[in-house]
Amino acid sequence: MGSDFYVSSDREQVGPWPFTRERLEESVTRNWPGASVGEIFEGHLEIQVEVEPGQFTELFFNLTHHVFSFADRGSLSAPLTVIYTVLRELAPTVPVVWWIDYDVTPAPLDLGADLSTFTSSFGNQQ
């Protein structure tokens, strides 16, 4: 506990994700009415979502580097659900990688899988 996870496009293959801040905000608020997306400090969005009733998550998006991040707190399925849903809409064919702050070795994530497989494969790679 106490670590942070990061998710980005596989920059070695394709560079950063092509979507804009506005498209990201629209996707989040359309999929989760009542979600909050706002700039907390220059170049960083804070995304707060009630993924399911009573299941809240907070994650961040770095606008400069196009990287999602979230803390290793409780279930990882909530922030991964947000990331999966948004990326399936905005960049479904872009390869995705993740890493943890103490080991910056990117590992692939498969957006082509269903949500359950996506989230469980993330946990099995830790």
Side-chain angles (χ1 to χ4, degrees), residues 3-23:
S3 298
D4 289 318
F5 294 105
Y6 299 89
V7 177
S8 92
S9 62
D10 187 342
R11 291 170 185 252
E12 290 183 14
Q13 291 187 43
V14 296
W17 283 308
F19 54 82
T20 63
R21 170 190 179 154
E22 292 77 20
R23 290 198 61 217

Side-chain angles (χ1 to χ4, degrees), residues 12-60:
E12 290 183 14
Q13 291 187 43
V14 296
W17 283 308
F19 54 82
T20 63
R21 170 190 179 154
E22 292 77 20
R23 290 198 61 217
L24 173 61
E25 290 179 19
E26 189 276 327
S27 178
V28 169
T29 56
R30 184 174 27 77
N31 282 289
W32 295 279
S36 169
V37 181
E39 194 162 344
I40 55 169
F41 55 95
E42 190 173 311
H44 293 81
L45 293 180
E46 178 182 42
I47 302 168
Q48 296 181 336
V49 176
E50 184 175 17
V51 177
E52 295 179 12
Q55 185 183 29
F56 293 90
T57 191
E58 175 183 68
L59 57 153
F60 302 91

